[in-house]
Amino acid sequence: MTGSIGESAVATEADWPAGLAAVLTGAVDAARAAVVEFAGPEAVGDYLGVSYEAPNAATHRFLAHLPGYQGWQWAAVVAAYPGAEHATISEVVLVPGPTALLAPEWVPWEQRVRPGDLSPGDLLAPAADDPRLVPGYTASGDPQVDETAAEVGLGRRWVMSAWGRSEAAGRWHTGDYGPDSPMARSTKRVCRDCGFFLPLAGSLGEMFGVCGNELSADGRIVHKRYGCGAHSDTPAPAGTGSPMYEPYDDGVLDIVEKPPEPPEPTSESPEPPAEPSEPPAELD
């Protein structure tokens, strides 16, 4: 009932016996009268067209004028048999149109908490029959975990079941840090050979570990075949300068006072010797 106007879902006019198409298509007034009787004249708008749902039925649509139902349509289904002189009304329903605002799909309350919704201070108890957990006094199914617990003599009230570990492994395998993620496909190096890779304990450690590189997937569960460009074996790029010498920082300068200039030597010429004065005149 939500198809586009005029779209044929099952039958077309060409498939109908002679005269039946005219009876069904021409039942616009009867369809409008049925909608008005059902919802009132103020709730019925313009005629939108007809669509064909079955060999002997058609659906006439009208714009709905109802508060809170913008973009919705009235659909009146009419039916007739070959040789009939008029169509009969089968049903009148309110259906969403192409531009109708619809409510989101209903989700049961126990499924409405999604990953990432937990905030500081929130309390989230597991379901009473959560298949991911088994009592701690029973074997978890992980030989390494069970052997260690038996040796120490301690245990937890609940441990993760084999089904729970398998579900987590599948989620991690197909997640952002799995072997098929875009980051992993962009490099040939894998976490299994990386010095920053910290393997998990137990059976999950055969496939997963934690990244310890703060510049990469720090603290994330990564698959052994995940990889990134920050692998511990990534070579340094060429052309970044010679490591043989420390770089010269011309921004660090020592400021010293300019020494005083020495005095210039004097080049005064010695005075010429005085000419001898004329001898005094002799007296007669």
Side-chain angles (χ1 to χ4, degrees):
M1 298 294 291
T2 58
S4 60
I5 303 301
E7 180 182 357
S8 176
V10 176
T12 63
E13 294 185 58
D15 299 328
W16 293 340
L20 184 58
V23 171
L24 293 175
T25 306
V28 179
D29 293 338
R32 177 182 288 275
V35 177
V36 170
E37 181 182 356
F38 179 80
E42 68 282 352
V44 186
D46 298 337
Y47 179 64
L48 300 177
V50 61
S51 58
Y52 314 109
E53 316 298 340
N56 60 343
T59 301
H60 295 275
R61 297 190 180 222
F62 305 87
L63 185 64
H65 290 165
L66 291 175
Y69 287 87
Q70 183 176 359
W72 285 62
Q73 304 171 1
W74 291 111
V77 181
V78 298
Y81 59 89
E85 296 181 357
H86 63 275
T88 59
I89 306 298
S90 296
E91 62 177 342
V92 174
V93 293
L94 185 64
V95 296
T99 61
L101 180 62
L102 303 178
E105 184 179 356
W106 185 81
V107 179
W109 67 268
E110 68 272 10
Q111 301 177 12
R112 294 182 183 178
V113 178
R114 308 304 302 163
D117 290 347
L118 196 65
S119 301
D122 292 343
L123 300 177
L124 181 62
D129 55 349
D130 196 327
R132 300 171 300 173
L133 299 173
V134 293
Y137 56 79
T138 62
S140 66
D142 189 332
Q144 299 184 35
V145 174
D146 294 339
E147 181 180 353
T148 303
E151 290 179 357
V152 177
L154 300 175
R156 291 169 288 168
R157 181 179 178 184
W158 297 99
V159 293
M160 208 161 188
S161 64
W163 185 88
R165 292 196 307 274
S166 177
E167 184 190 40
R171 191 169 59 249
W172 298 341
H173 186 279
T174 58
D176 294 337
Y177 302 97
D180 298 325
S181 63
M183 181 70 78
R185 292 198 303 266
S186 66
T187 181
K188 296 181 179 179
R189 294 180 173 86
V190 294
C191 293
R192 177 186 56 213
D193 308 321
C194 182
F196 297 109
F197 181 74
L198 306 172
L200 294 180
S203 59
L204 289 176
E206 298 178 4
M207 293 187 295
F208 302 100
V210 178
C211 176
N213 188 345
E214 63 178 342
L215 301 180
S216 182
D218 187 33
R220 309 281 184 165
I221 300 294
V222 295
H223 196 281
K224 282 188 174 181
R225 289 189 286 113
Y226 175 75
C228 70
H231 195 280
S232 60
D233 292 336
T234 301
T240 57
S242 173
M244 297 293 294
Y245 306 98
E246 294 183 359
Y248 175 72
D249 188 358
D250 56 1
V252 180
L253 301 176
D254 295 331
I255 301 177
V256 296
E257 295 182 358
K258 183 178 179 181
E261 296 182 358
E264 295 182 1
T266 56
S267 57
E268 297 179 356
S269 57
E271 295 181 359
E275 293 182 358
S277 57
E278 293 182 358
E282 294 181 358
L283 298 177
D284 294 337

